[in-house]
Amino acid sequence: MRIYGTLATSHLTLLAVPLGLLLAAFLWFFGTTTRQITDSAIRDGATAMTRMAQDELTSQVYGTLTAVSAIKRQQVMAYFANAAMLIETLALSGDVASLSVSMQRHLRDIQAAPERPIDVEVFAYTEMWEHFIARFRPYVDTLGYYDLFLIAPSGHVVFTVAREPDLGTNLAVGSLSASGLGNAWKRAVEENKTVMTDFEPYAPSQGAPASFLATPVHQDGKIIGVLAVQMPLTRINTIMHERTGLG
């Protein structure tokens, strides 16, 4: 009996060793697998949260840019609407009426040909230009325009503030007939209303981008000229970069 008990105890001891190893292996496997599952879940959750945060940020940025774009569009439209109102008011002024009458008289005196430019270096014209420049330069300087023009119904550019190569030319013919100024003059006469052209390079101003706003000048119900202003792109750039109205 003592021998049997000893053998039984030995067998149980031997049996316990592999069971213990099996249990240890099971616990190690279970713990590792659980840990892997947990780590994977954490990573997936973190990735999902990051993606949600990025989507939310993208949505906020897009919304902000859309709002900024709308504000800037309104500011640019307000700038052009105000410029149109100012040029229409100026076209009704006594200064423009006096300039128009004087220039029309000069064109008759020199018998200007419709298809040819006029000489702006002769004394009669230079004296007249110097008389009117003091009246019109303040408009350009104060309102931030690049130049101001008076154009005869025949297409002759009879007055400018900047005195660039377009002064004296005829917009009805030649290279400037298809320019922004040429198109503005033509439309203002044909449509008998204030018109505006898109920004595009303008050769007399060394190819700088320019937009033109033009309005007819009337006397006794007839068009006696076209008043135009040249608006530089710099003013639009200033509006697009300033933060006024953005909070």
Side-chain angles (χ1 to χ4, degrees), residues 12-237:
L12 290 173
T13 300
L14 292 172
L15 182 61
V17 172
L19 288 175
L21 293 173
L22 181 62
L23 179 60
F26 175 77
L27 291 175
W28 175 84
F29 175 78
F30 181 76
T32 301
T33 304
T34 303
R35 200 160 48 247
Q36 291 175 345
I37 294 174
T38 302
D39 292 345
S40 178
I42 292 174
R43 286 195 301 271
D44 292 345
T47 300
M49 292 179 64
T50 301
R51 188 178 296 114
M52 291 175 61
Q54 290 175 340
D55 291 345
E56 178 65 21
L57 180 60
T58 300
S59 178
Q60 291 178 2
V61 170
Y62 180 78
T64 300
L65 290 176
T66 301
V68 170
S69 177
I71 292 172
K72 291 302 180 183
R73 183 168 59 251
Q74 292 174 356
Q75 290 177 342
V76 171
M77 291 176 64
Y79 167 70
F80 283 121
N82 184 62
M85 180 185 67
L86 290 174
I87 193 175
E88 288 173 353
T89 302
L90 182 57
L92 298 174
S93 69
D95 286 341
V96 170
S98 177
L99 176 63
S100 300
V101 171
S102 297
M103 290 300 175
Q104 288 290 340
R105 184 185 304 116
H106 178 71
L107 291 178
R108 289 195 300 270
D109 290 343
I110 64 174
Q111 298 181 349
E115 70 281 359
R116 296 176 61 85
I118 61 173
D119 188 353
V120 295
E121 300 300 332
V122 296
F123 177 77
Y125 178 85
T126 300
E127 186 179 38
M128 188 167 44
W129 183 89
E130 290 177 350
H131 173 74
F132 283 103
I133 188 61
R135 301 189 193 183
F136 289 96
R137 189 180 297 281
Y139 289 111
V140 172
D141 295 340
T142 302
L143 299 176
Y145 300 135
Y146 180 87
D147 203 356
L148 179 145
F149 309 80
L150 181 68
I151 309 164
S154 60
H156 289 104
V157 181
V158 293
F159 180 85
T160 73
V161 170
R163 284 190 72 101
E164 289 188 328
D166 46 16
L167 178 61
T169 60
N170 192 323
L171 299 178
V173 295
S175 60
L176 293 184
S177 61
S179 68
L181 181 62
N183 289 329
W185 161 75
K186 188 181 305 181
R187 288 179 53 201
V189 172
E190 292 177 351
E191 301 174 24
N192 196 22
K193 66 178 183 180
T194 302
V195 298
M196 185 182 71
T197 65
D198 291 335
F199 280 93
E200 61 181 35
Y202 185 59
S205 301
Q206 299 182 347
S211 172
F212 294 91
L213 196 63
T215 192
V217 178
H218 296 94
Q219 185 179 66
D220 299 329
K222 297 177 59 177
I223 296 178
I224 61 172
V226 170
L227 184 67
V229 291
Q230 180 177 343
M231 297 181 291
L233 191 58
T234 52
R235 177 53 186 151
I236 304 303
N237 288 336

